[in-house]
Structure formats: structure tokens, C-alpha cells
Amino acid sequence: MTDLRENVERFWRAAEARDWTAFAATLAEDVVYVLPQTGERISGRERYVRFNREYPGDWHLRVERVVAEPGRVVTWLRFTVGGRETDALSFFTADASGLIAAITDFWPEPYEPPAGREHLVERS
Amino acid sequence: MTDLRENVERFWRAAEARDWTAFAATLAEDVVYVLPQTGERISGRERYVRFNREYPGDWHLRVERVVAEPGRVVTWLRFTVGGRETDALSFFTADASGLIAAITDFWPEPYEPPAGREHLVERS
């Protein structure tokens, strides 16, 4: 029984290091990866490792925040690819042995604020 | 000393009920609200309550997931406005008395998946 928080931290270290053996070792065999923004879903460890291994570009990640409770973890990353930095938000759940069973990823993009709230906000 | 998780759950119930007195009671006076996607920032309870009170439309929210540890909470909402449902992800921290001190919100939008990974994914 592995602690999910430790497993998720190992998962991100292995991704950044392109250590796909260590990466795969954090995942349940029937892991499910879901991207609600595109409606995509990847089922199974082998496919999900390939998806990450094949991801193009010289990408790097830095963990900004981890919030964890037993069996549930959220990470907020700063992800850099092609000189551009973006946020990535990932919700993890564990199987009975503490391996990563499900990952739901969100990749929010910059947008222009709607008009009508300038009297309340500062812009950075 | 209030538990931050309880406070955040009260915060969302009060928002959905438009009970702005109960909503304000969950917030530190110097609460900071940050929207990284637009670079907007709102400082102070009074302004932040106004921002929510003035938000246009017949919006509704449903809490999809809460992940909490002492002093840090993340919520994943399904937010409906104008017949359209979207995800909203919020990272909370507490002040020493357990009130909400900082909120960072992300509003990810749908996008078309990049080409080249069709061999690994299913679309819903």
C-alpha cells in the first residue's frame, strides 16, 4: 500500500526525468486518463505511458501546489513548452493498493476578461 | 478556528443560495481572489462579495469534488450559466482563524485535440 501523495510526487518527478519505467510503476494497470476539455479518454497503463512518451517538444514541469487527502490528490503545475508557461491541474484517485487509478487533467488557457467588472479588479 | 473544508462548503452553498451575508462570513477581511487566465486580482472581502453578487445571469453550481488537507482545499465545480455547463477549479488557503484568505480560480474551456494521438484515445 503506497501513499497516493507520494506516488503522485514520484509520477511528476518521473515525467520530468523521462523515466518511463518509474512513471509506469506509479500507475494501476487499468488507469484511466480523462481530458474533459477535449472529451478524450485514454484507458490502460501501456497507452497512457505511450501518450506521455510521445508528447512532442522540450516540455518541463514544476509543481506549484499539491493538496492531498487519503485516496485523493490534486496537483497544480506550471508547465513550460516552446518557451510558453501554462497551468495544468490534475485530479488523481487511487486504487486499493495506492496506485494511480484515474487522472482528470485540465489545461486552462488565457482569455480576455468580460467587460463590466473593471471597477473591482486590478490587472497584472 | 473553523475547519477550512467546512468553510469552503459553506461558501459554495451560500453562493448558490445568493446568501451574501453567509458568503461574506466565510472570508477573511483581506481575502485575495486571483484569476490567472485573465491576470485579474480582487483584494478585500467587500469587493469580492460585490464581484459575486454582480455576476450576471441565472448561474448555478454543483460541487463535483472536494480535496482538503489542513489549511488547503481544492474544489472542482460544474457551473451552469445560460444553459451551458462548464468546469471551475478553485484553490483555497486559510488564514490563522480558518477563514478563506486566498482563492485562485481556473475556468478551462473546451478545445479541439491536437492531431497525432488518435491511435491512443477515445472521444466521448
Side-chain angles (χ1 to χ4, degrees):
Chain A
M1 175 82 196
T2 316
D3 178 66
L4 181 62
R5 184 193 184 113
E6 281 174 32
N7 228 353
V8 167
E9 289 174 344
R10 194 173 300 131
F11 167 92
W12 286 129
R13 277 197 305 276
E16 175 63 19
R18 276 62 166 173
D19 180 347
W20 303 116
T21 305
F23 184 84
T26 68
L27 302 170
E29 194 176 340
D30 58 353
V31 63
V32 176
Y33 176 70
V34 178
L35 282 164
Q37 289 166 276
T38 60
E40 290 172 299
R41 181 188 180 93
I42 298 176
S43 301
R45 182 163 57 200
E46 195 192 323
R47 283 179 167 224
Y48 181 59
V49 173
R50 272 188 71 189
F51 174 81
N52 282 277
R53 185 199 289 267
E54 294 176 5
Y55 194 91
D58 183 30
W59 51 267
H60 293 282
L61 62 89
R62 178 171 60 76
V63 177
E64 175 76 17
R65 196 180 300 185
V66 179
V67 181
E69 60 179 47
R72 290 179 168 191
V73 173
V74 181
T75 61
W76 168 5
L77 301 187
R78 296 292 292 163
F79 188 88
T80 311
V81 62
R84 186 167 160 264
E85 201 177 30
T86 186
D87 297 289
L89 313 165
S90 308
F91 288 74
F92 295 86
T93 58
D95 71 5
S97 67
L99 293 172
I100 295 168
I103 309 167
T104 304
D105 251 15
F106 295 97
W107 296 83
E109 288 287 316
Y111 63 90
E112 276 304 303
R117 59 202 206 188
E118 303 80 358
H119 57 303
L120 299 172
V121 308
E122 307 142 55
R123 296 286 303 272
S124 68
Chain B
M1 178 79 194
T2 316
D3 177 66
L4 182 61
R5 183 191 185 115
E6 281 173 32
N7 228 353
V8 167
E9 289 174 344
R10 196 174 298 130
F11 167 93
W12 286 129
R13 277 197 305 275
E16 175 63 19
R18 275 63 165 172
D19 179 347
W20 303 115
T21 306
F23 184 83
T26 67
L27 302 170
E29 195 175 338
D30 58 353
V31 63
V32 176
Y33 176 70
V34 178
L35 283 163
Q37 289 165 277
T38 61
E40 290 173 299
R41 181 188 179 91
I42 298 176
S43 300
R45 181 163 56 200
E46 194 192 324
R47 281 179 170 226
Y48 181 59
V49 174
R50 272 188 70 191
F51 173 81
N52 281 277
R53 186 200 290 268
E54 294 177 5
Y55 194 92
D58 183 31
W59 51 267
H60 293 282
L61 63 88
R62 179 172 58 77
V63 177
E64 175 77 18
R65 195 180 301 185
V66 179
V67 181
E69 61 179 47
R72 290 179 168 192
V73 172
V74 180
T75 61
W76 168 5
L77 302 186
R78 296 292 292 166
F79 188 88
T80 311
V81 63
R84 186 166 159 263
E85 201 177 30
T86 185
D87 296 290
L89 313 165
S90 308
F91 288 74
F92 296 86
T93 58
D95 71 6
S97 67
L99 292 172
I100 296 168
I103 308 167
T104 304
D105 252 15
F106 295 97
W107 297 81
E109 288 287 316
Y111 63 90
E112 276 305 302
R117 60 202 204 187
E118 302 80 359
H119 57 302
L120 299 171
V121 307
E122 307 141 57
R123 298 286 302 273
S124 67

